[in-house]
Amino acid sequence: METNESSLKSTARFAGLLYFIWVLTGLYGLFYVPSQIDTRGDAVTTAQNVLSNEFLFRTSIVNDLISHTIWVVMVLVLYRLFKQVNERQAKLLVAFVIVQIPAVFFMEALNITSLMIFKGDILKTFELTQRQDVAMLFLKLNDYMTLSLEMFWGLWLFPLAILVYRSRFLPRFLGVWLMICGFAYVVLSFTSLVLPQYKNIVYNIALPAFFGELAFMLWLLIMGAKVREPEARVSQVS
């Protein structure tokens, strides 16, 4: 029993460590890089911003590839952690993550292609303004694909929330919080695509829900997992 609990705790903490690294890479790619390279302006301004921060732009591409590789490894560790709780839900958890990976590699190909176009390495027969417009098109495609992937950022949390709630080694409030977080991502994704003028309002309302992932990560990293005694057995002892 002690060996199983020790293995469970080490697996949980390893998942927490991967989750922590994954969160750091996500913060770098989703918040830091966009704060340094503004791609929301016109084509000329965006081209200048990207070219003047070319190294940072390239690091964001590498960062995203590393981030999603870590995500795959992390979800496989989570599968190992939760497969005894419900193997079907654990497999669904993995599926919702794996299905996103091809799209991510395609999005990074769009990014590197945009950089090459801005630099004039390809489409050399095009006028400068035409090249910049094409590069901006690729960057916008990347943005809209990100909005679509937000739905899957929420969907993978649904089976995870169920597994956490049903497990006897993690507190149930984390499962509830993760479920709310999943709904928040899905609602934000649909709002961004259907009613983009309300995106910021929905984001501000849903912001507390997003901390569910951080709470789950910190619990795994610090507390690990601890098997609780069945209620019937506890009542007999008492």
Side-chain angles (χ1 to χ4, degrees):
M1 180 65 179
E2 290 182 1
T3 302
N4 291 337
E5 185 168 343
S6 176
S7 176
L8 190 70
K9 182 173 290 188
S10 62
T11 301
R13 284 184 169 162
F14 182 50
L17 176 61
L18 292 174
Y19 218 127
F20 177 71
I21 298 172
W22 180 58
V23 167
L24 290 181
T25 59
L27 292 175
Y28 180 82
L30 292 175
F31 294 99
Y32 178 72
V33 173
S35 71
Q36 302 299 312
I37 307 177
D38 187 4
T39 59
R40 294 169 298 179
D42 58 78
V44 175
T45 303
T46 299
Q48 293 173 346
N49 291 337
V50 170
L51 292 176
S52 61
N53 296 277
E54 180 180 347
F55 179 76
L56 184 62
F57 189 80
R58 288 182 180 273
T59 63
S60 70
I61 296 173
V62 175
N63 174 79
D64 286 346
L65 295 177
I66 293 174
S67 178
H68 285 81
T69 301
I70 293 172
W71 195 11
V72 172
V73 176
M74 181 188 74
V75 80
L76 292 176
V77 175
L78 289 174
Y79 171 80
R80 179 184 175 188
L81 182 66
F82 289 112
K83 67 178 180 180
Q84 299 302 325
V85 178
N86 187 309
E87 189 170 5
R88 182 179 179 182
Q89 292 291 338
K91 288 180 178 179
L92 186 61
L93 168 71
V94 175
F96 276 136
V97 172
I98 298 298
V99 73
Q100 302 179 55
I101 304 305
V104 171
F105 278 90
F106 178 71
M107 290 165 63
E108 298 313 321
L110 291 178
N111 277 333
I112 194 65
T113 302
S114 297
L115 176 61
M116 295 172 66
I117 293 174
F118 280 138
K119 294 182 66 176
D121 293 339
I122 56 178
L123 300 182
K124 295 180 180 180
T125 59
F126 283 40
E127 296 291 335
L128 176 60
T129 55
Q130 292 177 322
R131 291 203 308 269
Q132 291 173 342
D133 286 340
V134 173
M136 280 296 296
L137 173 62
F138 288 162
L139 290 178
K140 291 298 182 182
L141 282 174
N142 193 310
D143 290 341
Y144 280 109
M145 289 184 70
T146 300
L147 295 180
S148 300
L149 284 180
E150 279 184 357
M151 180 179 67
F152 284 93
W153 297 354
L155 290 179
W156 88 283
L157 293 177
F158 292 157
L160 178 60
I162 293 172
L163 290 166
V164 171
Y165 188 85
R166 291 180 177 177
S167 72
R168 299 200 61 83
F169 48 81
L170 291 171
R172 286 185 168 182
F173 81 88
L174 289 175
V176 175
W177 204 346
L178 286 171
M179 182 66 70
I180 296 173
C181 182
F183 275 113
Y185 272 121
V186 172
V187 171
L188 183 61
S189 175
F190 279 107
T191 303
S192 301
L193 294 172
V194 180
L195 300 168
Q197 65 272 27
Y198 297 109
K199 177 184 177 181
N200 291 334
I201 297 175
V202 172
Y203 177 80
N204 291 330
I205 294 174
L207 185 59
F210 298 136
F211 289 99
E213 282 192 89
L214 293 178
F216 175 64
M217 177 269 291
L218 291 173
W219 189 281
L220 290 179
L221 187 61
I222 299 172
M223 304 299 293
K226 184 177 181 180
V227 178
R228 292 173 291 174
E229 293 290 335
E231 294 179 4
R233 182 176 175 182
V234 172
S235 61
Q236 289 177 3
V237 173
S238 59

